[in-house]
Amino acid sequence: MTTDGDKEVSEGTAVRRGRRGGGREAKRARAAAGSAREPWITRSLPYFEVVNEEGLALIEANADTILEEIGIDFRDDAEALEMWRDAGAAIDGERVRFPRGLCRKLVQDTAPREFMQYARNPANNVMIGGDRTVMVPAYGPPFVRDMDKGRRYATLEDFENFVKLTYMSKSLHHSGGTLCEPTDVPVTKRHLDMVYAHMRYSDKPFMGSVTAPSRAEDTVAMSKLLFGDDFHDPATGVERTVVINLINANSPMVFDETMLGAAKVYARNNQACIISPFILAGAMSPVTVAGTAAQILAEALAGMAFTQLVRPGAPVVFGTFASSVSMQSGAPTFGSPEPALVMYIAAALARRIGVPFRSGGGLCASKLPDAQAAYEAANTLQSAALAGVNFMLHTAGWLEGGLVMGYEKFMLDADQASMVATLLRGVDLSENGQALDAIREVGPGNHYLGCAHTQANFQDAFWRSSQADSNSFEQWESEGAMDAATRANRSWKAQLASYEAPAMDPAVDEALIDYIKGRKASMSDAEH
Amino acid sequence: MTTDGDKEVSEGTAVRRGRRGGGREAKRARAAAGSAREPWITRSLPYFEVVNEEGLALIEANADTILEEIGIDFRDDAEALEMWRDAGAAIDGERVRFPRGLCRKLVQDTAPREFMQYARNPANNVMIGGDRTVMVPAYGPPFVRDMDKGRRYATLEDFENFVKLTYMSKSLHHSGGTLCEPTDVPVTKRHLDMVYAHMRYSDKPFMGSVTAPSRAEDTVAMSKLLFGDDFHDPATGVERTVVINLINANSPMVFDETMLGAAKVYARNNQACIISPFILAGAMSPVTVAGTAAQILAEALAGMAFTQLVRPGAPVVFGTFASSVSMQSGAPTFGSPEPALVMYIAAALARRIGVPFRSGGGLCASKLPDAQAAYEAANTLQSAALAGVNFMLHTAGWLEGGLVMGYEKFMLDADQASMVATLLRGVDLSENGQALDAIREVGPGNHYLGCAHTQANFQDAFWRSSQADSNSFEQWESEGAMDAATRANRSWKAQLASYEAPAMDPAVDEALIDYIKGRKASMSDAEH
């Protein structure tokens, strides 16, 4: 499937054993592809810490108290309870209580600090964890919105469109998962079409189905067809991680059989699980930041430890999605300060465990790609960037609390994602960065536009937005006085019009299509 | 003018001598006014530092090199050159070169770390510096925009409208200065109407005129009329700081006679100067972050030290306005990462000197209050908040690179300012904040909405936006499917309709009006 399997082998081995990676792999991946695009962001900017070591230790102690005293429900999964009993936890019905430190030890003993998710194009492999950030589009919306047709149920065509737009985006490193729900395909079957679309219309890494263990099995089976011999590391025979999967906790403090079942399938196959407490604070967690953070840590530790019971060493990510609810209306709110503080703390807690962290993205409650949407999205994106999110789900497209995938919002958010890449590069303190010679050359009262240092650096000097209009009022007016959404509307249409699918071996494509046909033939269309 | 002059005396004295202030004064001010409104934000959140101590020391050394080798021009002001000669600087024409460390020593020896700016309503006094943030509207636009009448030259009525909207805003602590240029009043005279509007239609602290030394003198004279006996501290006879003023450097490395003249008037009267390099990086500074930061520090140090030569102990603020220009079109851009990095560094440099810091606000290049405006404004506001800006000019209303004051943008930005106040409060790690009892009470699978801890905390639990719509799609649609700008349009109109002027002693009002009449009669209407 790939042109330089040997190189991949050595990389994959090094990463899994030595818990190292980063710039070196990035450079190799770029060299392999002959492309200047960065396959992920490598951060030089420090992390922003909102509480000190003592505060983090307090929250960790509280999480241990939750795990020990209150416990976590593992529902409708006798096998999971058995595994926990064997590991030394106390079982009371479906409630599992954990000796202090047990979950942390299970995770730290075997979970990788960082791991490579392979793509069918090795230039698009992503390292997840450490000082890296991988930008991923929004996940889960049943609706889409664009300026032409408004808000409507999403279809498979919409899904494919967002795969294509993500494939073409320079700032999004990952194809994501449920970019929107293709509601024109029965629930029982749509996962097959979604996984196929990621495989066929993109060559970036993607996410698998988690809505039933059998759908997780389908995802793994199709991945084996796609990657062929490359699914296993030829040197070790170990499965490569080619798919990453969103396992939500049913907060507060419950994992249900669907999510446990999917997690087991993926972990057993060495595929990555993101264990994500899904929190609307005030409803599913306390109304305070520190209380919410402790509960999130307890849930994430229990879920991550469970994956290590299933298969020690399986890649796992500490995830969190935290919003707060309006205590007046009950509606979830976004871009507000409390969830940002929760995210900063959770990122720091993940670093202390030594696992990758997922959160963030362009979250908003707004129905339209308007100023509200942008304030809220920017607030979340800034926090996620400074917090140190490694896998930034929901980076682009999110509207209306996640109910809607917006075409225009997608383009605007993806532009902001490219801004984050520059921000995270941090400050260049080299001699060229200090630019003292430029200041000497120019001197008081003159300008820098023509000086030697500016000439040498201007092309990469400043981040350039592809969506913002910074021209004069007069020029902007003469070009139609468009607002940002209108420009984004033109932009996604132009992108889709110029889309070209990445090449795929026809035999592989045929095998995938045959598999889907066979599976669909065995299923009813009943919605469940 | 005030009802409790005695209390003010003791506060003012303590602040100036002991270089202390903060929560205690805030509480007293609130008690005096019988109001729950916070007169400023007191920060508990840590600062975000983007370079380490070593990096900051390197930039400081480079600034000293600039001051020593290259020097700063003090133009058309023989008195300034004489003062610098006496202070030990080397004078070469209008070029001043400074022995290493001289400017820093002058500032650190006598400039206050923080100071109180008095308002005619003592509940609105603001402490500037330390761990405090004061939110201030945009400054300087010749145009205004609203959704009804579009973009047009600003008038005195617009100016008064923004004084009133700022007066009514809970999140803006300061009336600001040139909220917009009242272009229907001759340039020679409009400063009198602007200062009067701040004095008459608000009782928050305000900024003075800097466009000519005589206009600074007018500002001081009118302030003496407004404050009467309260203009001086009765215990010490020292002038109180009742006005703060924006002194821009003419970057690179020039101060001109207008700004020097205004700075001298204000400093001599113990009024505050904000020494602000105004930088479009790439044109007025190098195209790099570290080079721009070193130049900003050199300019700010020279300007701040100058105020201390004029009057040791005069309150002074390290200011910076940094944008970058598009190296393609030359247009200034906003909300981009490089100016944010410059701001983080400049804030840290100001803390190391021990002076208050001004920057930040809702900057944007967008012509409309659309998604572009909001992404850019939020990016700047987040950076300014985390950097530790003390005096956040341009917080609300800014559009089109500062050419336009937007009515709708103003309301949206002011809402974001209230979000920042909550963010800066940081994380509550008290027992109530930890909320372990809530987690115990609720347990796995239940919800927190009705639990005792939620009931006790829900009213202040989460920041509430006054502009965002977080309701369901159906409710939003039934209420008119308004975008954020449309809601803001209704909002500013409702605010203005309910405006009531703060009471003013008729004798003071008459004295101010008489002063303005006399001054206007002595002037020509010629525009200069």
Side-chain angles (χ1 to χ4, degrees):
Chain A
M1 190 60 45
T2 66
T3 53
D4 56 351
D6 284 344
K7 179 166 285 176
E8 279 208 288
V9 173
S10 62
E11 284 171 13
T13 310
V15 170
R16 300 307 302 272
R17 288 206 190 135
R19 294 189 164 196
R20 297 262 165 245
R24 197 164 41 90
E25 292 85 353
K27 271 176 209 151
R28 283 188 193 165
R30 284 199 299 279
S35 150
R37 196 186 74 85
E38 300 275 343
W40 58 75
I41 300 167
T42 301
R43 167 193 203 98
S44 300
L45 199 71
Y47 301 106
F48 181 44
E49 306 275 358
V50 301
V51 295
N52 59 18
E53 294 280 309
E54 201 182 338
L56 294 171
L58 177 69
I59 290 166
E60 287 171 344
N62 289 346
D64 255 341
T65 299
I66 294 168
L67 289 168
E68 181 187 37
E69 278 184 30
I70 303 169
I72 306 281
D73 280 2
F74 282 73
R75 293 198 178 160
D76 302 313
D77 191 329
E79 185 190 17
L81 297 174
E82 202 53 46
M83 290 161 77
W84 275 121
R85 196 186 316 271
D86 292 347
I91 312 301
D92 176 10
E94 295 187 316
R95 181 72 50 88
V96 183
R97 293 190 178 82
F98 311 82
R100 295 185 86 84
L102 172 65
C103 292
R104 175 174 297 264
K105 181 170 172 12
L106 285 169
V107 174
Q108 290 185 319
D109 278 355
T110 56
R113 283 185 168 273
E114 55 192 33
F115 59 89
M116 181 80 89
Q117 182 187 351
Y118 290 84
R120 72 171 170 113
N121 176 355
N124 291 331
N125 294 350
V126 289
M127 278 297 297
I128 297 174
D131 56 6
R132 304 174 201 81
T133 298
V134 172
M135 296 293 202
V136 193
Y139 184 106
F143 299 97
V144 293
R145 173 183 280 280
D146 69 51
M147 287 181 78
D148 305 293
K149 291 185 271 181
R151 183 189 195 258
R152 59 192 192 278
Y153 276 104
T155 65
L156 186 58
E157 187 187 351
D158 291 310
F159 188 96
E160 291 170 355
N161 283 343
F162 282 108
V163 171
K164 293 172 183 176
L165 290 171
T166 304
Y167 168 69
M168 299 176 84
S169 167
K170 279 183 188 156
S171 60
L172 299 172
H173 310 105
H174 199 282
S175 196
T178 308
L179 302 171
C180 54
E181 285 283 351
T183 59
D184 53 344
V185 182
V187 168
T188 48
K189 300 176 177 176
R190 69 174 66 142
H191 66 286
L192 298 162
D193 295 318
M194 291 194 275
V195 169
Y196 177 76
H198 283 300
M199 292 176 165
R200 181 67 194 90
Y201 302 118
S202 182
D203 61 7
K204 293 185 177 178
F206 60 92
M207 301 176 74
S209 177
V210 296
T211 51
S214 66
R215 295 171 195 158
E217 298 281 11
D218 282 333
T219 305
V220 172
M222 289 174 71
S223 297
K224 287 179 178 170
L225 293 175
L226 179 69
F227 283 85
D229 290 345
D230 289 331
F231 186 80
H232 294 86
D233 182 325
T236 63
V238 174
E239 304 92 331
R240 283 180 173 151
T241 300
V242 300
V243 66
I244 185 167
N245 309 283
L246 184 60
I247 306 295
N248 280 335
N250 204 339
S251 303
M253 297 168 280
V254 175
F255 286 94
D256 64 31
E257 66 174 321
T258 304
M259 287 293 154
L260 292 172
K264 284 191 284 191
V265 170
Y266 285 122
R268 280 188 182 126
N269 285 283
N270 202 37
Q271 304 306 308
C273 291
I274 307 169
I275 304 295
S276 274
F278 177 93
I279 303 273
L280 305 179
M284 302 166 187
S285 77
V287 291
T288 60
V289 168
T292 297
Q295 182 185 312
I296 286 172
L297 178 58
E299 293 175 3
L301 277 172
M304 291 192 292
F306 177 68
T307 65
Q308 300 307 300
L309 295 182
V310 174
R311 173 162 170 166
V316 66
V317 175
F318 182 153
T320 171
F321 174 94
S323 162
S324 53
V325 296
S326 162
M327 301 310 288
Q328 287 66 50
S329 68
T333 62
F334 297 92
S336 55
E338 297 86 1
L341 294 171
V342 168
M343 180 159 53
Y344 283 120
I345 293 174
L349 294 169
R351 281 193 290 279
R352 283 161 69 97
I353 300 169
V355 286
F357 180 63
R358 167 258 151 162
S359 193
L363 310 185
C364 68
S366 185
K367 322 302 176 279
L368 301 171
D370 64 352
Q372 178 186 340
Y375 281 116
E376 293 175 341
N379 288 344
T380 311
L381 198 63
Q382 282 277 341
S383 308
L386 303 189
V389 170
N390 300 119
F391 190 82
M392 204 180 294
L393 197 61
H394 305 314
T395 295
W398 170 290
L399 280 176
E400 223 185 274
L403 285 175
V404 175
M405 184 70 159
Y407 279 85
E408 289 81 19
K409 177 81 171 3
F410 181 94
M411 300 307 289
L412 295 167
D413 285 338
D415 184 49
Q416 291 293 305
S418 85
M419 182 279 292
V420 166
T422 300
L423 179 65
L424 292 184
R425 223 176 279 144
V427 179
D428 172 12
L429 291 171
S430 70
E431 204 172 305
N432 187 61
Q434 294 175 59
L436 264 183
D437 285 346
I439 303 173
R440 286 193 183 98
E441 178 184 343
V442 171
N446 300 312
H447 71 74
Y448 287 80
L449 293 171
C451 81
H453 182 266
T454 301
Q455 292 299 314
N457 289 279
F458 83 94
Q459 279 192 308
D460 296 321
F462 301 123
W463 173 69
R464 253 180 263 179
S465 171
S466 60
Q467 293 292 329
D469 185 312
S470 299
N471 293 327
S472 70
F473 173 75
E474 290 71 20
Q475 186 171 344
W476 170 79
E477 203 174 37
S478 76
E479 289 171 4
M482 286 181 282
D483 69 2
T486 306
R487 291 193 300 272
N489 179 268
R490 297 192 175 195
S491 174
W492 69 258
K493 289 176 184 167
Q495 282 285 81
L496 280 186
S498 69
Y499 170 80
E500 286 179 38
M504 177 178 260
D505 180 342
V508 171
D509 196 14
E510 209 172 306
L512 288 169
I513 290 169
D514 282 351
Y515 180 87
I516 293 169
K517 265 194 198 146
R519 289 289 293 143
K520 283 192 175 177
S522 76
M523 294 166 175
S524 101
D525 281 0
E527 300 277 327
H528 63 80
Chain B
M1 192 58 45
T2 67
T3 53
D4 56 349
D6 285 343
K7 179 165 288 177
E8 277 207 288
V9 173
S10 63
E11 285 171 13
T13 310
V15 170
R16 299 310 301 273
R17 289 206 187 133
R19 293 191 164 194
R20 296 261 166 247
R24 199 163 40 90
E25 291 85 354
K27 270 176 210 150
R28 282 189 193 164
R30 284 199 301 279
S35 151
R37 196 185 74 84
E38 301 275 342
W40 59 74
I41 299 166
T42 302
R43 165 193 205 99
S44 300
L45 198 71
Y47 302 106
F48 181 44
E49 307 275 358
V50 300
V51 295
N52 60 18
E53 294 281 309
E54 201 182 338
L56 294 172
L58 177 69
I59 291 166
E60 286 170 345
N62 289 346
D64 255 341
T65 299
I66 294 168
L67 289 167
E68 181 186 36
E69 278 185 30
I70 303 169
I72 306 281
D73 280 2
F74 282 73
R75 293 197 177 160
D76 302 313
D77 191 330
E79 184 190 19
L81 297 174
E82 202 52 48
M83 291 161 77
W84 275 120
R85 195 186 317 271
D86 292 347
I91 312 300
D92 176 10
E94 296 186 316
R95 181 73 50 89
V96 184
R97 291 190 180 82
F98 312 82
R100 296 185 87 84
L102 173 66
C103 292
R104 175 175 296 263
K105 182 172 173 6
L106 286 169
V107 174
Q108 289 185 321
D109 278 355
T110 56
R113 282 185 168 272
E114 54 193 33
F115 60 88
M116 181 79 90
Q117 182 187 352
Y118 289 84
R120 72 171 169 111
N121 176 354
N124 291 331
N125 293 350
V126 290
M127 279 296 297
I128 297 174
D131 55 6
R132 303 174 202 82
T133 299
V134 171
M135 295 293 201
V136 193
Y139 184 106
F143 299 97
V144 293
R145 171 184 282 279
D146 68 50
M147 286 183 78
D148 305 294
K149 291 185 274 182
R151 182 189 195 259
R152 59 191 193 277
Y153 275 105
T155 64
L156 186 57
E157 187 187 350
D158 291 310
F159 188 95
E160 291 170 355
N161 283 344
F162 282 109
V163 171
K164 293 172 183 175
L165 289 172
T166 304
Y167 168 68
M168 300 175 83
S169 167
K170 281 183 187 157
S171 60
L172 298 172
H173 309 105
H174 199 282
S175 196
T178 307
L179 302 171
C180 54
E181 285 282 351
T183 59
D184 52 345
V185 181
V187 168
T188 49
K189 300 177 176 175
R190 67 174 67 143
H191 67 286
L192 298 163
D193 294 318
M194 289 195 276
V195 169
Y196 177 75
H198 283 300
M199 291 176 164
R200 181 67 193 91
Y201 302 118
S202 182
D203 60 7
K204 293 185 178 178
F206 60 91
M207 301 175 75
S209 178
V210 295
T211 51
S214 66
R215 295 171 196 158
E217 297 281 11
D218 282 333
T219 304
V220 172
M222 289 174 71
S223 296
K224 286 180 178 169
L225 294 175
L226 179 70
F227 282 86
D229 290 344
D230 289 333
F231 186 80
H232 293 86
D233 183 325
T236 61
V238 173
E239 304 91 331
R240 282 180 174 150
T241 300
V242 299
V243 66
I244 185 167
N245 309 285
L246 185 60
I247 307 294
N248 279 336
N250 205 339
S251 302
M253 297 169 279
V254 175
F255 286 94
D256 64 31
E257 66 175 323
T258 304
M259 287 293 152
L260 291 172
K264 283 192 283 191
V265 170
Y266 285 123
R268 279 187 182 127
N269 285 282
N270 202 36
Q271 304 306 307
C273 291
I274 307 169
I275 305 294
S276 274
F278 176 94
I279 303 272
L280 304 180
M284 302 166 186
S285 76
V287 292
T288 62
V289 168
T292 297
Q295 183 185 311
I296 285 173
L297 177 58
E299 293 175 3
L301 277 172
M304 292 193 290
F306 177 69
T307 66
Q308 301 307 300
L309 295 182
V310 173
R311 174 161 168 166
V316 66
V317 175
F318 182 153
T320 171
F321 174 95
S323 163
S324 52
V325 296
S326 161
M327 301 311 288
Q328 287 67 49
S329 68
T333 62
F334 297 92
S336 55
E338 296 86 1
L341 294 170
V342 169
M343 178 158 55
Y344 283 119
I345 293 174
L349 294 170
R351 281 193 289 279
R352 284 161 69 96
I353 300 168
V355 286
F357 180 63
R358 167 258 151 162
S359 192
L363 310 184
C364 68
S366 186
K367 322 304 176 277
L368 301 170
D370 64 352
Q372 179 187 339
Y375 281 115
E376 293 175 343
N379 288 344
T380 311
L381 198 62
Q382 282 277 340
S383 307
L386 303 189
V389 170
N390 299 120
F391 189 83
M392 203 180 293
L393 197 61
H394 305 314
T395 295
W398 170 290
L399 280 176
E400 222 185 276
L403 286 175
V404 175
M405 183 71 158
Y407 278 85
E408 289 80 20
K409 178 81 169 7
F410 181 93
M411 301 307 289
L412 295 168
D413 285 338
D415 184 49
Q416 290 294 304
S418 85
M419 182 279 293
V420 166
T422 300
L423 178 65
L424 292 184
R425 222 175 281 145
V427 179
D428 172 12
L429 290 172
S430 70
E431 205 174 304
N432 187 63
Q434 293 175 60
L436 265 183
D437 285 348
I439 302 173
R440 286 193 184 98
E441 180 185 340
V442 171
N446 300 313
H447 71 74
Y448 288 80
L449 293 171
C451 81
H453 182 266
T454 301
Q455 291 299 314
N457 289 280
F458 82 94
Q459 279 192 308
D460 297 321
F462 301 122
W463 172 69
R464 253 180 263 180
S465 170
S466 60
Q467 292 292 330
D469 185 313
S470 300
N471 293 326
S472 70
F473 173 75
E474 291 72 20
Q475 186 172 344
W476 170 78
E477 203 174 36
S478 76
E479 289 170 5
M482 287 181 283
D483 68 3
T486 305
R487 292 192 300 272
N489 179 268
R490 297 192 175 194
S491 176
W492 70 257
K493 288 175 183 168
Q495 282 284 81
L496 279 186
S498 70
Y499 169 79
E500 287 178 39
M504 177 178 260
D505 181 342
V508 171
D509 197 14
E510 208 172 306
L512 288 169
I513 290 168
D514 281 352
Y515 180 88
I516 293 169
K517 265 194 198 148
R519 290 289 293 143
K520 282 192 175 176
S522 75
M523 293 167 177
S524 102
D525 280 359
E527 300 278 327
H528 63 78

